[in-house]
Amino acid sequence: MGLVMHQRKYALQLVLEVGLSCAKPAGTPIDVNMKLTSKKYDEQTGQNHEDQLKSKKSHMDAALRIVKYIKRHPDQGILLSNSSNNDMSAYCDAEWATCPITSKSVTGYMIKMGKSIMSWKEKKRTTISRSSAEAEY
């Protein structure tokens, strides 16, 4: 067992302030097939004409879906295990050319001690990788 660190009070307050207290909760935070792009990218490619009049309606829809997901799981948090297992493990991964605008890769890592997550980070690379192997390296 252990301690779960969460922000239930803040999560429920956010749902209320956004006006989604009567909305149906979402099962996942974002649609797997959704690709969010910037207005600049849309202008260059001629896509998403319905979003040109507002401030990226697709981004607002994605944000509202995340709030609906939070509504369904306000107690989610980070487990701080009281296990005596002090084994440290680290995981990392990269996704090559993830960004549709810049073709830059996204890399990330997670460090665990026992069952508890100690640190994690995800970051878009500053340079463009020429291959998946280069992105991973």
Side-chain angles (χ1 to χ4, degrees), residues 65-85:
R65 181 176 175 135
I66 291 169
V67 174
K68 290 177 184 178
Y69 176 75
I70 290 171
K71 179 184 179 186
R72 182 180 210 132
H73 303 285
D75 292 326
Q76 274 195 349
I78 298 173
L79 172 66
L80 301 174
S81 176
N82 63 358
S83 167
S84 61
N85 179 358

Side-chain angles (χ1 to χ4, degrees), residues 8-21:
R8 178 183 167 80
K9 181 180 175 184
Y10 174 72
L12 295 174
Q13 181 182 358
L14 175 67
V15 171
L16 186 65
E17 287 180 10
V18 174
L20 294 175
S21 56

Side-chain angles (χ1 to χ4, degrees), residues 23-59:
K24 180 180 175 184
T28 58
I30 194 163
D31 181 11
V32 178
N33 299 318
M34 178 176 267
K35 297 289 183 191
L36 298 174
T37 59
S38 67
K39 279 187 166 185
K40 185 176 180 180
Y41 177 81
D42 294 345
E43 290 168 2
Q44 291 176 351
T45 60
Q47 295 179 356
N48 290 338
H49 299 293
E50 72 276 359
D51 282 349
Q52 295 301 321
L53 302 175
K54 296 179 183 179
S55 294
K56 293 300 289 183
K57 183 178 178 313
S58 59
H59 288 213

Side-chain angles (χ1 to χ4, degrees), residues 96-97 102-106 124-130 134-135:
W96 181 46
T102 62
S103 295
K104 292 181 180 175
S105 302
V106 174
K124 187 189 299 185
R125 301 285 303 260
T126 56
T127 58
I128 298 173
S129 302
R130 293 179 291 227
E134 186 178 337

